[in-house]
Amino acid sequence: MSCIGIVGGGQLARMLALSGTPLGLGFIFLDPASDACAASLGAHVQGAYDDRRQFRRLAKHADVVTYEFENVPEAAMECLSREVPVYPNAAALATARDRLREKQLFTELAIPTAPHAEVNSLDDLERAAARTGFPAILKTRTLGYDGKGQKTLHGPGDLGPAWSELGRVPLILEGMVRFDREVSCIAVRARNGETAFYPLAENLHREGMLRVSWSRPGDAMTLQMQGYARRVLERLDYVGVLTIEFFQAGDVLMANEMAPRVHNSGHWTIEGAQTSQFENHLRAILGLPLGATEPVGHAAMVNCIGQTPDPAAVLGIPGAHLHRYGKAFRAGRKVGHVTVRADNRTDLEARLNRVL
Ligand code: AMP
């Protein structure tokens, strides 16, 4: 039985393990938290993400290692890669953990992206704002997630305070894109170069956090989106699931960021696609054939933030599936999700409204 090592023991690791269990796979998770929510599905190495000894333990027991977040320190990645195959590779991780490098890659590959500039001083910030205009968004280059590490700037008076608040680390300033909607591409590439793409996901964010994702089979932007994702997969010689988030303005897609991993906007694939993003990530990193990514009807996913709803109420809605991550309830924390499926969009929206 192959053993998969996962850096991180949160809900993504948990859903990877849930999808790999029928394949007879074993799992070992590295996570500093004693109550890591994936831990009940495998072995748990409790240790810090910069503790080389713990990485060696993970490498010793795993046949292949992957990760559920992109903030794995570069030194840790090097240490792991010397001992065991790690997918996605170090180049993908280094690019995806840094918003500036991501945008440089998109630009190199002729993928449109928001106007942006590197910011390492208040002077840089003033020059960058003159280029992007206002409003603009100042973001930390690394370690930001769910809208954290970001400040919206409305005018020159916001530059000094934003710099004081965020300026101790490398930053990027982005022009505010006036988009019609946000979409994402969940793509997967196998070790032999085979690629597959899920239907476009349309995403609704509030306060920087994903709230709802719809699968949009047959969407008009599908080919453009997949073409861009294919360029990234091939350039990085990528193995595993890759997510790219885009803004759509008219018929233009602008890449916002990429995640070298399974993604919240692909959770609907568990019930809404023939093979889930989680199973396909495992198949890819193990060198197995990829599974079909075709949709199963129409699907949408709602995040449960802070708490999960009464199971009896949700499960009484036709086509609804409840996922609880086993995490302690806390305001602003993703603790579960609900997927709704239907044969057509009208029924899907009616069921989704009941969930919401
Ligand atoms: P991010 O952490 O980059 O995914 O940003 C979180 C959310 O903030 C995005 O999903 C958008 O809703 C919004 N956002 C981020 N960057 C921009 C931008 N340059 N223009 C407009 N909205 C943005």
Side-chain angles (χ1 to χ4, degrees), residues 42-315:
H44 181 195
V45 176
Q46 200 183 337
Y49 293 130
D50 55 3
D51 183 339
R52 282 166 185 264
R53 269 179 329 163
Q54 307 301 3
F55 277 105
R56 263 184 235 115
R57 276 178 70 194
L58 191 71
K60 187 165 154 245
H61 294 288
D63 300 297
V64 55
V65 166
T66 189
Y67 40 89
E68 66 156 7
F69 60 92
E70 48 275 43
N71 299 317
V72 181
E74 237 151 287
M77 181 74 178
E78 265 170 39
C79 160
L80 272 173
S81 310
R82 270 198 297 272
E83 300 189 29
V84 67
V86 184
Y87 299 112
N89 63 28
L93 182 69
T95 307
R97 67 201 297 276
D98 181 342
R99 291 180 187 277
L100 183 67
R101 286 180 71 168
E102 277 173 359
K103 289 204 164 54
Q104 288 166 338
L105 176 70
F106 295 144
T107 306
E108 254 175 69
L109 296 174
I111 301 169
T113 187
H116 61 274
E118 181 176 359
V119 172
N120 295 311
S121 67
L122 186 54
D123 278 354
D124 283 353
L125 180 56
E126 280 162 7
R127 272 194 297 272
R131 274 180 42 205
T132 60
F134 294 100
I137 309 189
L138 187 62
K139 301 180 179 178
T140 58
R141 279 173 54 180
T142 60
L143 299 172
Y145 68 98
D146 288 344
K148 296 187 175 64
Q150 304 193 5
K151 296 275 331 158
T152 302
L153 312 183
H154 298 282
D158 290 340
L159 296 178
W163 170 254
S164 308
E165 202 169 309
L166 297 178
R168 283 168 300 277
V169 293
L171 302 172
I172 180 171
L173 185 71
E174 296 180 16
M176 182 77 79
V177 176
R178 286 178 212 292
F179 54 78
D180 301 314
R181 61 175 184 161
E182 293 187 78
V183 303
S184 59
C185 181
I186 313 283
V188 57
R189 186 166 180 271
R191 285 202 206 174
N192 68 0
E194 177 192 1
T195 52
F197 301 89
Y198 287 95
L200 175 146
E202 182 175 328
N203 304 321
L204 179 70
H205 292 83
R206 217 171 41 232
E207 288 146 13
M209 216 174 178
L210 183 67
R211 307 286 156 157
V212 186
S213 280
W214 291 260
S215 105
R216 295 294 193 211
D219 191 277
M221 302 309 288
T222 303
L223 282 183
Q224 190 182 133
M225 177 188 83
Q226 293 182 353
Y228 290 156
R230 186 184 297 282
R231 286 180 208 172
V232 176
L233 289 173
E234 283 172 8
R235 168 63 66 92
L236 293 172
D237 191 19
Y238 195 92
V239 174
V241 164
L242 170 77
T243 305
I244 307 183
E245 294 182 83
F246 296 91
F247 302 128
Q248 183 184 346
D251 57 5
V252 174
L253 288 179
M254 298 171 98
N256 176 34
E257 61 175 346
M258 59 188 244
R261 55 174 168 80
V262 288
H263 192 261
N264 196 173
S265 65
H267 290 359
W268 59 267
T269 61
I270 296 174
E271 292 91 4
Q274 291 194 21
T275 313
S276 76
Q277 62 165 348
F278 301 100
E279 182 176 335
N280 257 339
H281 183 70
L282 296 174
R283 289 186 186 214
I285 67 175
L286 285 166
L288 295 169
L290 299 180
T293 48
E294 276 74 28
V296 179
H298 293 254
M301 182 243 31
V302 182
N303 268 335
C304 304
I305 296 168
Q307 55 182 27
T308 53
D310 171 19
V314 172
L315 300 177

Side-chain angles (χ1 to χ4, degrees), residues 309-331:
D310 171 19
V314 172
L315 300 177
I317 300 168
H321 300 265
L322 175 62
H323 297 253
R324 294 195 286 183
Y325 305 152
K327 288 162 71 173
F329 291 176
R330 199 191 305 144

